[in-house]
């Protein structure tokens, strides 16, 4: 599975009691891409939802989505640009309902988390932190 942004750095991991997901560091105007191929099932303002095999991938804080509901997208295809300094990304069991913050039943990133192993460094997919390293969440 691809990351939704270039040089992914997770800046915040949300407690599933509030809602699931994570925020990735972005530059305003930076590209946001599909993590998996699927069908765009929802586009609304700053949000896009792509369904991939009954898993809904939610992208928030987009500026001008470049896809429309009903379109098919491939892994890595452009969805829009980042509206500010972070992109919110979630995976949910379909169907998605606006305002539904149920605890997810899975986490596709559980074995491939994007981790920062030192301040200012890029994250490495599936990296194991060296002893004494800090992880930004």
């Amino acid at each position: 599975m691809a990351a939704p942004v270039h040089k992914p750095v997770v800046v915040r991991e949300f407690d599933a009691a509030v809602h699931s997901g994570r925020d990735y560091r972005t530059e305003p105007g930076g590209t946001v891409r599909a993590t998996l191929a699927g069908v765009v099932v929802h586009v609304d303002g700053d949000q896009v939802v792509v369904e991939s095999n009954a898993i809904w991938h939610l992208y928030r804080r987009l500026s001008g989505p470049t896809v429309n509901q009903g379109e098919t997208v491939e892994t890595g295809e452009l969805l829009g640009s980042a509206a500010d300094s972070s992109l919110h990304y979630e995976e949910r069991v379909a169907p998605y309902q606006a305002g539904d913050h149920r605890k997810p039943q899975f986490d596709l990133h559980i074995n491939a988390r994007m981790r920062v192993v030192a301040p200012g460094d890029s994250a490495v997919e599936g990296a194991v932190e060296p002893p004494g390293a800090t992880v930004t969440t």
Side-chain angles (χ1 to χ4, degrees):
M1 183 167 88
V5 296
H6 182 66
K7 293 186 178 180
V9 174
V10 174
V11 294
R12 184 170 182 193
E13 191 98 19
F14 288 89
D15 179 351
V18 177
H19 64 82
S20 61
R22 59 194 49 90
D23 286 352
Y24 288 94
R25 181 182 304 149
T26 60
E27 294 291 326
T31 58
V32 176
R33 300 188 179 276
T35 56
L36 285 174
V39 175
V40 178
V41 294
H42 182 79
V43 178
D44 182 24
D46 73 340
Q47 170 175 288
V48 170
V49 179
V50 176
E51 181 177 355
S52 301
N53 298 320
I55 298 172
W56 289 36
H57 305 267
L58 177 73
Y59 307 80
R60 283 198 182 124
R61 295 188 210 123
L62 294 176
S63 174
T66 59
V67 294
N68 295 305
Q69 188 168 329
E71 288 182 22
T72 300
V73 295
E74 298 299 324
T75 302
E77 189 169 328
L78 181 67
L79 300 176
S81 57
D84 57 31
S85 61
S86 67
L87 169 79
H88 183 71
Y89 175 77
E90 296 180 37
E91 298 123 0
R92 296 184 182 175
V93 175
Y96 166 78
Q97 295 177 6
D100 180 1
H101 299 300
R102 293 174 295 160
K103 183 177 178 179
Q105 298 173 10
F106 58 89
D107 186 347
L108 294 177
H109 287 277
I110 200 145
N111 293 318
R113 296 275 167 131
M114 305 299 172
R115 297 290 189 182
V116 176
V117 293
D121 285 351
S122 294
V124 178
E125 189 169 330
V128 175
E129 294 84 12
T134 58
V135 177
T136 302
T137 58

